[in-house]
Amino acid sequence: MRCIYCNAPTYLLGNGNRKCKICKRKFSPAKIARKEKIIECFCKDLSVNECMRRSGYNYVTIKSYYEMFRKKIAAFMEEEYLNRQETKAYEEYIYLESSKDPKKDIFDGYNFLTFDYGGKIYNLLMPDLSRFKPYFREDGLNEVYYKEFKNFLRISKLQKNSQNGLIYDFWSYLEDLLPKYRGIKRENFFYYLKEAEFKFNFDCEKLKEIV
C-alpha cells in the first residue's frame, strides 16, 4: 500500500497501521476504508440513518464525518469563488420547504443570491428572513406582507424563472436534494446550501481530495 501523504512505499506495523518509508508518517488503512465508505454514502445523498444501515458504522461516527465534510466543502467553495476569473450572472432566490404555506410561513424561507461564475455555481446567503417574523405576526400583518411580497417577487423575478439556465438548473437540483434530509436546522442551512453547490459543481472524487 502506498503512503496517502507522499505516495511512497509503506510497511505494516504490529497494530495494523502502516508507516511510510520516506516521510515516516503513520496512517490506519481501516480508518481510510471507513472514511471512503462514508464519503460514498454522502455523495449518494444518503441521510446519516441511511448510511448507518448501509455501512454498519454507528450514528455518532457518521454524523461527525458528515459535519466535517460540509465544513470542508463550505471552506473550499468560498476559496474557489474568491479565485474566480469572471462572474457571468447572478439572481436572487427564496427557498421555502414545499410543506410550508407561503402566506403563513414566508419568513421561514431562506434568501440567497446564486452566481454563475464561468459555468459553476456559487451562493451567497442573505440575512435571515425569520428575524422579521415576530414583528409582523404580532401586528397581524402577515397577510398584508405576503401580498406585497408576492408583488415584489413578480417585479424583481425572485422566483424560479431565471433566464440563466445554469442558475435555474441549480435551483431545481437544490429543491430535489434538501427534502431527502427530512428536516434541516435553520442554523445549519448554510452548510447544506454549500453541499448542494459543491455536488452540483463537482463529482465525488473532488470530495475525496479535499478531505
Side-chain angles (χ1 to χ4, degrees), residues 12-29:
L12 186 65
L13 300 175
N15 61 1
N17 291 344
R18 300 195 74 89
K19 185 173 182 179
C20 179
K21 293 181 179 180
I22 304 300
C23 71
K24 307 301 181 184
R25 298 176 74 175
K26 301 174 185 178
F27 61 92
S28 166

PDB file of all heavy atoms in Angstrom, residues 12-29:
ATOM      1  N   LEU A  12       3.951  -2.512   7.097  1.00  0.00           N
ATOM      2  CA  LEU A  12       2.901  -2.810   8.075  1.00  0.00           C
ATOM      3  C   LEU A  12       3.456  -2.808   9.490  1.00  0.00           C
ATOM      4  O   LEU A  12       4.515  -3.358   9.761  1.00  0.00           O
ATOM      5  CB  LEU A  12       2.284  -4.180   7.761  1.00  0.00           C
ATOM      6  CG  LEU A  12       1.067  -4.606   8.581  1.00  0.00           C
ATOM      7  CD1 LEU A  12      -0.115  -3.681   8.296  1.00  0.00           C
ATOM      8  CD2 LEU A  12       0.705  -6.063   8.243  1.00  0.00           C
ATOM      9  N   LEU A  13       2.702  -2.187  10.401  1.00  0.00           N
ATOM     10  CA  LEU A  13       3.052  -2.172  11.821  1.00  0.00           C
ATOM     11  C   LEU A  13       2.264  -3.244  12.565  1.00  0.00           C
ATOM     12  O   LEU A  13       1.266  -3.768  12.057  1.00  0.00           O
ATOM     13  CB  LEU A  13       2.759  -0.791  12.413  1.00  0.00           C
ATOM     14  CG  LEU A  13       3.520   0.389  11.790  1.00  0.00           C
ATOM     15  CD1 LEU A  13       3.033   1.699  12.405  1.00  0.00           C
ATOM     16  CD2 LEU A  13       5.028   0.228  11.967  1.00  0.00           C
ATOM     17  N   GLY A  14       2.670  -3.529  13.762  1.00  0.00           N
ATOM     18  CA  GLY A  14       2.039  -4.587  14.540  1.00  0.00           C
ATOM     19  C   GLY A  14       0.579  -4.330  14.871  1.00  0.00           C
ATOM     20  O   GLY A  14      -0.197  -5.269  15.071  1.00  0.00           O
ATOM     21  N   ASN A  15       0.180  -3.071  14.955  1.00  0.00           N
ATOM     22  CA  ASN A  15      -1.209  -2.734  15.307  1.00  0.00           C
ATOM     23  C   ASN A  15      -2.124  -2.617  14.086  1.00  0.00           C
ATOM     24  O   ASN A  15      -3.267  -2.199  14.214  1.00  0.00           O
ATOM     25  CB  ASN A  15      -1.254  -1.429  16.103  1.00  0.00           C
ATOM     26  CG  ASN A  15      -0.692  -0.248  15.321  1.00  0.00           C
ATOM     27  OD1 ASN A  15      -0.272  -0.381  14.166  1.00  0.00           O
ATOM     28  ND2 ASN A  15      -0.666   0.923  15.958  1.00  0.00           N
ATOM     29  N   GLY A  16      -1.603  -2.974  12.912  1.00  0.00           N
ATOM     30  CA  GLY A  16      -2.421  -2.917  11.706  1.00  0.00           C
ATOM     31  C   GLY A  16      -2.281  -1.635  10.916  1.00  0.00           C
ATOM     32  O   GLY A  16      -2.769  -1.536   9.792  1.00  0.00           O
ATOM     33  N   ASN A  17      -1.645  -0.624  11.510  1.00  0.00           N
ATOM     34  CA  ASN A  17      -1.401   0.627  10.788  1.00  0.00           C
ATOM     35  C   ASN A  17      -0.212   0.455   9.845  1.00  0.00           C
ATOM     36  O   ASN A  17       0.509  -0.548   9.885  1.00  0.00           O
ATOM     37  CB  ASN A  17      -1.130   1.774  11.754  1.00  0.00           C
ATOM     38  CG  ASN A  17      -2.353   2.161  12.549  1.00  0.00           C
ATOM     39  OD1 ASN A  17      -3.469   1.790  12.197  1.00  0.00           O
ATOM     40  ND2 ASN A  17      -2.165   2.871  13.644  1.00  0.00           N
ATOM     41  N   ARG A  18      -0.017   1.451   8.991  1.00  0.00           N
ATOM     42  CA  ARG A  18       1.118   1.422   8.081  1.00  0.00           C
ATOM     43  C   ARG A  18       1.964   2.678   8.283  1.00  0.00           C
ATOM     44  O   ARG A  18       1.452   3.724   8.675  1.00  0.00           O
ATOM     45  CB  ARG A  18       0.650   1.317   6.630  1.00  0.00           C
ATOM     46  CG  ARG A  18      -0.166   0.068   6.342  1.00  0.00           C
ATOM     47  CD  ARG A  18      -0.296  -0.200   4.862  1.00  0.00           C
ATOM     48  NE  ARG A  18       0.933  -0.710   4.283  1.00  0.00           N
ATOM     49  CZ  ARG A  18       1.254  -2.015   4.210  1.00  0.00           C
ATOM     50  NH1 ARG A  18       0.439  -2.929   4.709  1.00  0.00           N
ATOM     51  NH2 ARG A  18       2.387  -2.392   3.653  1.00  0.00           N
ATOM     52  N   LYS A  19       3.290   2.526   8.026  1.00  0.00           N
ATOM     53  CA  LYS A  19       4.208   3.647   8.180  1.00  0.00           C
ATOM     54  C   LYS A  19       4.972   3.861   6.876  1.00  0.00           C
ATOM     55  O   LYS A  19       5.417   2.906   6.242  1.00  0.00           O
ATOM     56  CB  LYS A  19       5.190   3.388   9.321  1.00  0.00           C
ATOM     57  CG  LYS A  19       6.111   4.575   9.622  1.00  0.00           C
ATOM     58  CD  LYS A  19       6.945   4.323  10.866  1.00  0.00           C
ATOM     59  CE  LYS A  19       7.830   5.523  11.184  1.00  0.00           C
ATOM     60  NZ  LYS A  19       8.638   5.305  12.415  1.00  0.00           N
ATOM     61  N   CYS A  20       5.102   5.125   6.504  1.00  0.00           N
ATOM     62  CA  CYS A  20       5.767   5.465   5.251  1.00  0.00           C
ATOM     63  C   CYS A  20       7.287   5.335   5.407  1.00  0.00           C
ATOM     64  O   CYS A  20       7.864   5.767   6.402  1.00  0.00           O
ATOM     65  CB  CYS A  20       5.401   6.883   4.838  1.00  0.00           C
ATOM     66  SG  CYS A  20       6.192   7.406   3.295  1.00  0.00           S
ATOM     67  N   LYS A  21       7.920   4.770   4.387  1.00  0.00           N
ATOM     68  CA  LYS A  21       9.364   4.600   4.415  1.00  0.00           C
ATOM     69  C   LYS A  21      10.105   5.915   4.164  1.00  0.00           C
ATOM     70  O   LYS A  21      11.289   6.022   4.504  1.00  0.00           O
ATOM     71  CB  LYS A  21       9.782   3.577   3.361  1.00  0.00           C
ATOM     72  CG  LYS A  21       9.307   2.161   3.648  1.00  0.00           C
ATOM     73  CD  LYS A  21       9.784   1.189   2.581  1.00  0.00           C
ATOM     74  CE  LYS A  21       9.330  -0.235   2.900  1.00  0.00           C
ATOM     75  NZ  LYS A  21       9.790  -1.199   1.864  1.00  0.00           N
ATOM     76  N   ILE A  22       9.419   6.888   3.586  1.00  0.00           N
ATOM     77  CA  ILE A  22      10.064   8.149   3.243  1.00  0.00           C
ATOM     78  C   ILE A  22       9.722   9.259   4.227  1.00  0.00           C
ATOM     79  O   ILE A  22      10.588   9.815   4.905  1.00  0.00           O
ATOM     80  CB  ILE A  22       9.710   8.588   1.806  1.00  0.00           C
ATOM     81  CG1 ILE A  22      10.090   7.482   0.809  1.00  0.00           C
ATOM     82  CG2 ILE A  22      10.406   9.909   1.463  1.00  0.00           C
ATOM     83  CD1 ILE A  22      11.558   7.128   0.794  1.00  0.00           C
ATOM     84  N   CYS A  23       8.420   9.582   4.345  1.00  0.00           N
ATOM     85  CA  CYS A  23       8.023  10.697   5.223  1.00  0.00           C
ATOM     86  C   CYS A  23       7.812  10.270   6.672  1.00  0.00           C
ATOM     87  O   CYS A  23       7.618  11.107   7.545  1.00  0.00           O
ATOM     88  CB  CYS A  23       6.778  11.402   4.682  1.00  0.00           C
ATOM     89  SG  CYS A  23       5.251  10.445   4.833  1.00  0.00           S
ATOM     90  N   LYS A  24       7.794   8.941   6.896  1.00  0.00           N
ATOM     91  CA  LYS A  24       7.698   8.365   8.243  1.00  0.00           C
ATOM     92  C   LYS A  24       6.344   8.578   8.922  1.00  0.00           C
ATOM     93  O   LYS A  24       6.202   8.311  10.113  1.00  0.00           O
ATOM     94  CB  LYS A  24       8.809   8.927   9.169  1.00  0.00           C
ATOM     95  CG  LYS A  24      10.212   8.795   8.607  1.00  0.00           C
ATOM     96  CD  LYS A  24      10.585   7.356   8.322  1.00  0.00           C
ATOM     97  CE  LYS A  24      12.002   7.244   7.790  1.00  0.00           C
ATOM     98  NZ  LYS A  24      12.360   5.850   7.415  1.00  0.00           N
ATOM     99  N   ARG A  25       5.365   9.052   8.195  1.00  0.00           N
ATOM    100  CA  ARG A  25       4.045   9.262   8.801  1.00  0.00           C
ATOM    101  C   ARG A  25       3.285   7.944   8.855  1.00  0.00           C
ATOM    102  O   ARG A  25       3.465   7.060   8.006  1.00  0.00           O
ATOM    103  CB  ARG A  25       3.259  10.322   8.022  1.00  0.00           C
ATOM    104  CG  ARG A  25       3.947  11.683   8.034  1.00  0.00           C
ATOM    105  CD  ARG A  25       3.235  12.712   7.192  1.00  0.00           C
ATOM    106  NE  ARG A  25       2.012  13.196   7.825  1.00  0.00           N
ATOM    107  CZ  ARG A  25       1.262  14.172   7.320  1.00  0.00           C
ATOM    108  NH1 ARG A  25       1.621  14.778   6.189  1.00  0.00           N
ATOM    109  NH2 ARG A  25       0.162  14.566   7.945  1.00  0.00           N
ATOM    110  N   LYS A  26       2.411   7.848   9.853  1.00  0.00           N
ATOM    111  CA  LYS A  26       1.623   6.637  10.037  1.00  0.00           C
ATOM    112  C   LYS A  26       0.153   6.917   9.671  1.00  0.00           C
ATOM    113  O   LYS A  26      -0.322   8.037   9.819  1.00  0.00           O
ATOM    114  CB  LYS A  26       1.702   6.175  11.497  1.00  0.00           C
ATOM    115  CG  LYS A  26       3.114   5.880  11.979  1.00  0.00           C
ATOM    116  CD  LYS A  26       3.111   5.575  13.477  1.00  0.00           C
ATOM    117  CE  LYS A  26       4.524   5.403  14.015  1.00  0.00           C
ATOM    118  NZ  LYS A  26       4.542   5.157  15.480  1.00  0.00           N
ATOM    119  N   PHE A  27      -0.530   5.883   9.256  1.00  0.00           N
ATOM    120  CA  PHE A  27      -1.966   6.012   8.966  1.00  0.00           C
ATOM    121  C   PHE A  27      -2.634   4.655   9.106  1.00  0.00           C
ATOM    122  O   PHE A  27      -1.974   3.606   9.067  1.00  0.00           O
ATOM    123  CB  PHE A  27      -2.212   6.602   7.573  1.00  0.00           C
ATOM    124  CG  PHE A  27      -1.667   5.777   6.433  1.00  0.00           C
ATOM    125  CD1 PHE A  27      -2.451   4.828   5.807  1.00  0.00           C
ATOM    126  CD2 PHE A  27      -0.365   5.961   5.992  1.00  0.00           C
ATOM    127  CE1 PHE A  27      -1.955   4.069   4.757  1.00  0.00           C
ATOM    128  CE2 PHE A  27       0.151   5.215   4.936  1.00  0.00           C
ATOM    129  CZ  PHE A  27      -0.649   4.265   4.316  1.00  0.00           C
ATOM    130  N   SER A  28      -3.938   4.696   9.287  1.00  0.00           N
ATOM    131  CA  SER A  28      -4.723   3.483   9.501  1.00  0.00           C
ATOM    132  C   SER A  28      -5.514   3.134   8.228  1.00  0.00           C
ATOM    133  O   SER A  28      -6.423   3.886   7.854  1.00  0.00           O
ATOM    134  CB  SER A  28      -5.692   3.671  10.666  1.00  0.00           C
ATOM    135  OG  SER A  28      -6.655   2.644  10.687  1.00  0.00           O
ATOM    136  N   PRO A  29      -5.208   2.027   7.569  1.00  0.00           N
ATOM    137  CA  PRO A  29      -5.985   1.606   6.393  1.00  0.00           C
ATOM    138  C   PRO A  29      -7.463   1.398   6.725  1.00  0.00           C
ATOM    139  O   PRO A  29      -8.335   1.664   5.898  1.00  0.00           O
ATOM    140  CB  PRO A  29      -5.322   0.287   5.979  1.00  0.00           C
ATOM    141  CG  PRO A  29      -3.918   0.403   6.484  1.00  0.00           C
ATOM    142  CD  PRO A  29      -4.051   1.143   7.790  1.00  0.00           C
TER     143      PRO A  29
END
